[in-house]
Amino acid sequence: MATDPHRVIAGLLNEGASLQLGTVDLCFLIALHTRADEGSLTGYEEEDMLDVFEQVCEVVEPGVENPRKRATHAIHRLRVQRLLTRVDAGGVLHEGEYAMTGLASAIVQFYLHEEALTRESLTLLTKTLLANIADVKASARGASSDEDWRANVVAPLRITVGDLVGGIERRQRGLDTQQMEVQRKISELLQADWFESLQRCQTLLDDTTATLSELNEVLLHDTTQMIDLLQDVEQLAIAAGRAEAEEATHRVIEHVDRVAAWGRSRQVAWSEYYQQAHRFLRDVVRLDPTRALSERLRNQIAQWSRRRFALVVSAAGPLRIMRSLEARPERPAVVQPARDRELALEEIDFDVEPAEIEERVRAARAAGATTLAEVLRSVLSDMSPARQFVMVGRVAQQVAPDATSERERAWREVPGGIEVEDWGLKHE
Amino acid sequence: MSDNFETLQQVIESDTFARVDIALRAGRHVHREDVEQYGFLQEALPLLEAFYARFGCQLIRAEDGYFFLLPTSDLLPRRQLTAGEMLVGQTLALLYLDPAALASNGVITRKHLMERLVSLVGERELVTALNPRRRANDNERVVQENTRKEVSKALRGLAALGFAELMPEEQIRLRPPLTRFMEPVRGVEDPAGVLARLIAAGRVVGEADEESEDDE
């Protein structure tokens, strides 16, 4: 079953979990482990633990006062941090018996490097794994009930196969640590002995390279077989409609893929380091056995400001590459629409009517009309009603300068159904 | 004659030629880790040597595994490294020889470079070398910041020339062409004599040359 990391983290936060281990604590744990290993012990008597702590103190902190009191505190610290657990139920009746927890064992294993991957351990693990997966496949083929699938397929995949793949991964991490140490050791050897260390560095490089190549070969060969078998199991689970078995198989396939990917990635990373280290040994160490070059270069840098020089390099600019021809869109200039400011002369018919009206008014007055109404009757008589209304105004305008004003002006009817306030007109 | 190329035409028609040619003319040092370009130069070397000779240049193949173009006439422009590039380059070369850099696959941090630079040259000398126009009453903090900027500028210049590779998180990968900075002190001979020879060969410009170029 996959563990939800959010819940684990929330749980750790709730508990305020932390680990605080000093050198003496770590040494104490390793000494306890060794004591149990040599004596085939399943637990530690309190008295034995106090003895072991005293021995550790003699090495780690010689001359320290009250070692037994410190041992009591150390055991308490380790119990609080869940590295030691009391396994008897004696309580206050008698001294306790303790055992290491999984956490403490993992820490001890890390420092003892007991689980680094070797060709032997990897071959053993992968062969066992293959046999187990083959068994699971056979069981899947014969499984008919829910119980069969759960007991003979899902459980072995989750526990036996899962643990074996986990075991390979754990050893892979051990080998990673070993590789880092090899790199550090090569640097330290060169730093300390320079040319004298050449052979030892070469051996370290070659040994690690050989180990990695062997492991990778085993991984490549065996993981392919494992994946084939697991895919068969997955197909059987799908065919039987067993979602739980399918999910368990899928999870193991992912796990095995990860193991194979580790081999490939470490091979590439080591190959890069190997080339770099070889080049260094060949170009730097062999050509400068007394390490005089570094010293002379150091002097050159220190004296550079007094005896300056500079390297010469080519400095041609990049080639000028012409841009490919492309049609540019024509952008019209922002202008006002063209407008002819000289207005064209318009030919219009000459309106002769006003002149005719003026003439008719003069004729009417000459004929004896003495009021506006008489003039209008004479002028408007043969016009259309619409024109008559307009012409009343023009006629009035023409005769207005000669109009005489009276207090009471009579309203008189003129053609077109129009009534005007009548004016008297002076003689022209 | 090379194994793969029999004529200059074949070399020029190769897909790699244009990129290598532009890189070399721009002053880049092509080293073993530029796998494709380095392999191309190895195969086409005899033909390209003659080709570049017509431009008044030498195509130089260094024993440490890199190629570079050295203009020896005025046909192709050339330049000398700046004071900052020279100081940073020499310090990187020293770090290249340090086994500590090997443990990190030839990668160092910018902080490590600065520490080494200051310990080798001295802070005052470094500030003077990288800020030649500095005046006595200039703000110290500004001067120090300018010095750091000059170091960064020098690193960018060196990276463009193939001496180093700038990586994320202020890391610098050291490259084999850095050994060019060791040329004056490579052998057991007097460095001044070697330097004079390198100047005569046009690979290096000395102080006297620098002054005369400034005068121009």
Side-chain angles (χ1 to χ4, degrees):
Chain A
M1 189 81 62
T3 316
D4 179 6
H6 298 100
R7 290 177 66 177
V8 175
I9 291 169
L12 290 173
L13 183 68
N14 254 348
E15 286 177 26
S18 71
L19 274 180
Q20 286 181 337
L21 293 173
T23 311
V24 71
D25 296 330
L26 286 172
C27 295
F28 181 40
L29 284 174
I30 288 168
L32 283 175
H33 171 83
T34 315
R35 168 74 67 99
D37 210 28
E38 287 168 359
S40 302
L41 304 174
T42 53
Y44 313 103
E45 297 289 342
E46 202 165 311
E47 194 58 34
D48 282 347
M49 291 172 79
L50 296 176
D51 286 345
V52 170
F53 190 85
E54 273 187 66
Q55 287 165 20
V56 168
C57 266
E58 276 174 25
V59 180
V60 181
E61 294 175 349
V64 73
E65 288 179 9
N66 278 334
R68 290 185 83 80
K69 194 173 173 186
R70 288 171 64 91
T72 309
H73 287 303
I75 293 167
H76 176 70
R77 261 198 317 277
L78 295 176
R79 283 190 69 189
V80 168
Q81 298 188 78
R82 294 196 293 186
L83 292 160
L84 284 178
T85 179
R86 189 166 171 179
V87 289
D88 69 302
V92 292
L93 297 177
H94 54 77
E95 287 181 339
E97 187 181 348
Y98 297 87
M100 270 196 206
T101 63
L103 176 59
S105 296
I107 292 172
V108 170
Q109 295 299 345
F110 175 82
Y111 282 100
L112 292 179
H113 297 305
E114 281 180 348
E115 290 199 321
L117 209 53
T118 60
R119 189 189 172 92
E120 290 72 31
S121 66
L122 181 65
T123 310
L124 184 67
L125 280 164
T126 54
K127 296 302 171 207
T128 315
L129 199 48
L130 277 168
N132 271 283
I133 300 172
D135 285 348
V136 170
K137 185 183 164 184
S139 304
R141 218 175 252 148
S144 53
S145 63
D146 269 357
E147 185 53 37
D148 285 349
W149 277 97
R150 199 163 294 135
N152 302 326
V153 179
V154 178
L157 279 174
R158 278 188 185 154
I159 298 166
T160 321
V161 175
D163 280 1
L164 283 168
V165 180
I168 297 177
E169 278 198 318
R170 223 172 27 250
R171 286 167 176 80
Q172 285 178 334
R173 286 195 288 274
L175 193 65
D176 281 345
T177 316
Q178 267 190 7
Q179 276 184 37
M180 277 171 61
E181 282 202 359
V182 167
Q183 294 187 8
R184 190 176 51 81
K185 198 167 179 183
I186 288 176
S187 293
E188 281 174 5
L189 280 171
L190 286 168
Q191 203 76 265
D193 298 331
W194 195 241
F195 192 73
E196 306 303 319
S197 65
L198 206 60
Q199 195 52 47
R200 276 177 289 164
C201 291
Q202 191 67 56
T203 310
L204 273 171
L205 277 173
D206 292 344
D207 286 352
T208 312
T209 307
T211 308
L212 263 178
S213 308
E214 283 179 354
L215 295 180
N216 214 23
E217 271 174 34
V218 175
L219 280 176
L220 269 176
H221 181 261
D222 290 357
T223 50
T224 312
Q225 282 189 27
M226 283 177 215
I227 299 278
D228 287 347
L229 283 171
L230 285 164
Q231 279 172 342
D232 290 345
V233 177
E234 196 178 24
Q235 287 304 319
L236 288 168
I238 292 169
R242 305 287 166 180
E244 197 184 3
E246 186 194 339
E247 193 267 331
T249 319
H250 190 70
R251 195 160 287 282
V252 178
I253 290 176
E254 281 179 352
H255 216 151
V256 172
D257 270 340
R258 216 160 52 218
V259 166
W262 174 90
R264 288 192 294 274
S265 77
R266 294 310 182 276
Q267 188 86 357
V268 171
W270 181 258
S271 159
E272 198 179 318
Y273 174 76
Y274 183 84
Q275 284 179 20
Q276 182 99 8
H278 251 280
R279 204 172 297 147
F280 190 84
L281 297 180
R282 188 187 59 221
D283 297 348
V284 179
V285 183
R286 275 189 198 284
L287 293 179
D288 183 27
T290 55
R291 220 178 171 182
L293 180 56
S294 300
E295 192 52 42
R296 286 202 294 269
L297 182 58
R298 205 171 283 125
N299 292 338
Q300 175 183 290
I301 299 168
Q303 292 167 10
W304 185 80
S305 55
R306 288 189 288 284
R307 197 172 59 190
R308 286 189 179 210
F309 66 91
L311 302 184
V312 173
V313 292
S314 173
L319 285 179
R320 198 168 283 184
I321 300 169
M322 305 298 279
R323 195 173 50 208
S324 55
L325 193 65
E326 59 181 26
R328 285 192 180 177
E330 281 295 329
R331 279 193 187 170
V334 181
V335 288
Q336 276 189 318
R339 194 175 59 183
D340 190 359
R341 294 180 188 280
E342 292 293 323
L343 290 175
L345 293 174
E346 193 182 349
E347 197 168 306
I348 55 167
D349 292 334
F350 182 67
D351 186 5
V352 293
E353 196 177 28
E356 277 179 14
I357 296 296
E358 279 179 26
E359 189 53 38
R360 289 171 79 168
V361 169
R362 272 197 292 273
R365 289 188 68 185
T370 54
T371 64
L372 174 63
E374 286 168 3
V375 173
L376 286 171
R377 278 186 207 112
S378 166
V379 173
L380 304 178
S381 56
D382 56 347
M383 286 185 184
S384 66
R387 298 290 302 159
Q388 285 169 334
F389 182 80
V390 175
M391 287 308 146
V392 169
R394 289 203 180 161
V395 172
Q397 184 189 12
Q398 190 180 340
V399 299
D402 299 329
T404 55
S405 177
E406 289 171 22
R407 184 167 301 208
E408 286 293 328
R409 281 179 280 195
W411 286 86
R412 300 196 197 283
E413 193 170 337
V414 294
I418 302 165
E419 276 191 9
V420 295
E421 198 178 28
D422 202 11
W423 299 335
L425 299 175
K426 289 185 283 188
H427 288 289
E428 284 182 306
Chain B
M1 200 63 67
S2 71
D3 292 335
N4 290 354
F5 298 110
E6 290 181 352
T7 64
L8 184 60
Q9 186 182 348
Q10 288 176 340
V11 173
I12 291 172
E13 282 174 352
S14 159
D15 292 340
T16 320
F17 173 75
R19 269 177 289 137
V20 170
D21 182 61
I22 289 170
L24 288 173
R25 285 173 196 246
R28 188 169 177 88
H29 294 63
V30 177
H31 52 84
R32 281 197 207 101
E33 286 152 55
D34 301 327
V35 180
E36 191 191 346
Q37 300 189 7
Y38 186 80
F40 170 78
L41 282 170
Q42 274 184 315
E43 287 173 4
L45 182 63
L47 295 162
L48 284 177
E49 274 177 333
F51 173 72
Y52 285 117
R54 303 176 77 174
F55 289 90
C57 294
Q58 286 178 35
L59 177 58
I60 294 177
R61 178 190 197 165
E63 284 176 8
D64 299 303
Y66 60 92
F67 290 91
F68 68 99
L69 202 59
L70 183 71
T72 47
S73 76
D74 294 331
L75 278 175
L76 269 186
R78 60 186 157 174
R79 77 169 179 96
Q80 62 194 59
L81 298 195
T82 62
E85 286 170 337
M86 280 307 293
L87 276 173
V88 173
Q90 290 176 89
T91 310
L92 290 178
L94 188 62
L95 290 166
Y96 183 77
L97 296 178
D98 190 345
L102 181 63
S104 54
N105 267 3
V107 176
I108 60 155
T109 61
R110 199 174 283 227
K111 182 170 174 271
H112 189 185
L113 166 71
M114 284 303 288
E115 284 169 0
R116 190 51 87 85
L117 197 52
V118 170
S119 75
L120 285 166
V121 186
E123 193 166 325
R124 196 194 295 174
E125 286 271 353
L126 184 65
V127 165
T128 311
L130 299 185
N131 300 279
R133 289 180 192 156
R134 185 177 74 107
R135 287 171 301 195
N137 56 354
D138 278 351
N139 183 313
E140 193 185 341
R141 190 190 63 77
V142 175
V143 170
Q144 285 174 349
E145 195 181 323
N146 284 343
T147 306
R148 285 194 293 276
K149 278 185 188 165
E150 285 297 321
V151 170
S152 296
K153 190 173 153 193
L155 269 173
R156 286 198 298 276
L158 292 170
L161 294 171
F163 289 110
E165 183 188 342
L166 302 183
M167 296 168 69
E169 296 174 6
E170 304 268 283
Q171 290 189 318
I172 306 157
R173 187 183 287 279
L174 308 175
R175 295 299 191 194
L178 283 170
T179 53
R180 230 192 122 182
F181 288 93
M182 306 169 197
E183 281 183 342
V185 289
R186 215 52 201 276
V188 289
E189 297 168 68
D190 172 32
V194 181
L195 197 57
R197 223 173 31 243
L198 289 169
I199 291 169
R203 292 170 77 134
V204 163
V205 175
E207 200 164 84
D209 299 309
E210 285 179 42
E211 281 166 8
S212 64
E213 284 193 10
D214 289 344
D215 293 343
E216 287 167 17

